[in-house]
Amino acid sequence: MIAKLEKVSKAYSIGDQTLIALQPTDLEVREGELMLIIGPSGSGKTTLLSLLGCVIYPSEGKLWVDGNFVNEMGQKQLSALRLNTIGFIFQNFNLLAPLNAQQNVLMPLQLMGHDKKSSLVKVEQALTLVGMLDRKNNLPKQLSGGQQQRIAIARALVTDPKLILCDEPTASLDKDALRIVMTELRSLAERGKAVAVVTHDPRLKEYAHRIIEVNNGVVTETLDFEQ
Amino acid sequence: MSVFLIGQQSGIFMFLTNSMAALVKNNQSYIWVVDDKTTNVNALGSIDIRIGTELQSLKGVAHVFPLVTAGVSAKFRNGTSAGLTLIGVQVPEFAGGPWDMFSGKKEVLFRDGAIITDYFNSNALGNLAPGEYFEINGKQVFNAGLTKGVDAFGGIYAFTTIERARYLANMNTDKASAFLVQLNNEQNEQDVIRTINNHYFGVHAWSGPELTKETIFTVLATSGIAFSFGTIIVFALIIGFVIIGLTLYSSVIDRIKDYGTLKAIGATNSYIRNLILTQAMIIACSGFVIGTIVTEIFRKGIATTGTIFSYPLWMRFAFLLITLVIAFFGSLFAIRRIIRLEPGAVFRS
Ligand SMILES: Nc1ncnc2c1ncn2[C@@H]1O[C@H](COP(=O)(O)OP(=O)(O)OP(=O)(O)O)[C@@H](O)[C@H]1O
Ligand SMILES: [Mg+2]
């Protein structure tokens, strides 16, 4: 088990109003599974993912990620936790525009302070895994959406994180790119990573080991679906 | 641009402060004995010539040279006129000037009616040509030789012999404006100065550097020049601060998504702060190089009009330091913006 939520809720205050984005939720995220988080717009999917990603604190309840009690950790410790245990994949890829593919994938290792030589070996491996080694010198804008997302996956993988979090990873992709990316994510889960994917898209169900549904901040697990 | 403004203004400022005390500055090795009411070499009172004779007999004194300065008006052949500060020196020692001779020798002053003017002042002096005759206080004189770059603060210096200066300015022969005292042994300077100041009433002895400092200080304090240059430099600092601040801030805003991504994947605030500071330093250094080049061009350009100044090394370092400080403070806004950025914001775009 990589992450555990115990009665975790998240409320945002906008002016003098309080909006409960996530109702108290119990959830465990496990290695070896691709967990799909589906639900309508504004239902709280990203909020849930942000909690798992340690970029926001829970308002109530207890949150553990990789054995760390997140509620009581400082910003700096959380940065380190994110860097070391979590890989992020975003809807809009979020590659750093001025850096080429190789430099983008290198970035997390640089942040970790790894030496350049061994880092470059890992970067090559990660790029090979997503089949993008031949484009390592391209800038993000010289790549298609699917290719950029594969670079982003390589960036998320290069640190060998235990948990991979994806917010709408396929929303900017066409059918073929979607298949490549999802197959990649599923095989990562099958090799022992915990993968959580937020989506609107019911087509992704076929890649899931497990489906979580969020409605109006309420999380329910869907047990009957075809794999 | 700030660098240029600051450089330009402080260059001119230095030029002016240099010219403020030009007369002493170019005769630093003497002890200057002047009347005790002045602290400004541009406004000397008159002292009795007998003091000079007495000074001559002091222990350690080698020579005493009287010097006369007098404001006179000159009239030129093309009909224009101008005010001059006439400096009369004792010949053949020429203590007190002229300096920086450009054409002709100092010795031309032996010739009847000889005056030495400055090359860059020809315009102000009715396009006076070398050798040309003109009038001082109605008496005929001629332009016997030229200095180059002798600047008086807010006036024009012209050199002649002390006798001719007295004659042209209708000054009593028993008066002088200052005595320049040359010593047998430089080491006794402070002793001699002390002796003079203790025993002579109505005069004050200064070392050259002291009188230079005192003059600049007096002129600055009474003319408001320091204030106006100060204001311009302060503005330049503010401009630089705002420009660098805005440049960095807008570049940070342009790339806010990248910074958000960096924070989300685990970059700490201090990492990002260093990143922005590095950018600021790069901007500062390139700004410094460009500013220095432009200032250098300006300096070369203005030198042809006689406004000659140069920057000592410490000043260049000060400029660089100022630029870096500007960049540092300019980058603070940008850094603050990023530090406030929540890592969670990365999912909302
Ligand atoms: N930082 C915030 N401040 C205030 N309200 C927020 C904030 N983040 C999210 N919300 C609100 O919380 C609710 C859930 O948002 P969330 O982003 O989790 O939805 P979502 O399921 O990801 O929606 P979508 O499918 O459109 O991405 C929304 O009503 C949203 O307006
Ligand atoms: Mg969302």
Side-chain angles (χ1 to χ4, degrees), chain A residues 46 49-50 55-56 75-76 79 82-83 88-90 92 94-98 107-108 110-111 155 167, chain B residues 255 257-271 275 342-349:
Chain A
T46 298
L49 197 73
S50 301
V55 292
I56 57 176
Q75 285 289 349
K76 219 174 162 167
S79 293
R82 291 199 295 269
L83 187 57
F88 289 93
I89 295 165
F90 308 95
N92 299 311
N94 290 32
L95 296 175
L96 305 183
M107 194 70 217
Q110 239 173 9
L111 291 173
R155 178 176 66 183
D167 197 3
Chain B
R255 298 187 41 204
K257 192 177 138 198
D258 286 354
Y259 288 108
T261 307
L262 271 176
K263 280 188 89 157
I265 66 175
T268 55
N269 280 333
S270 54
Y271 179 88
L275 204 67
E342 293 172 55
V346 73
F347 289 118
R348 283 178 265 123
S349 59

Side-chain angles (χ1 to χ4, degrees), chain B residues 270-282:
Chain B
S270 54
Y271 179 88
I272 290 175
R273 187 183 58 224
N274 292 344
L275 204 67
I276 296 175
L277 276 180
T278 311
Q279 288 182 39
M281 292 306 136
I282 292 170

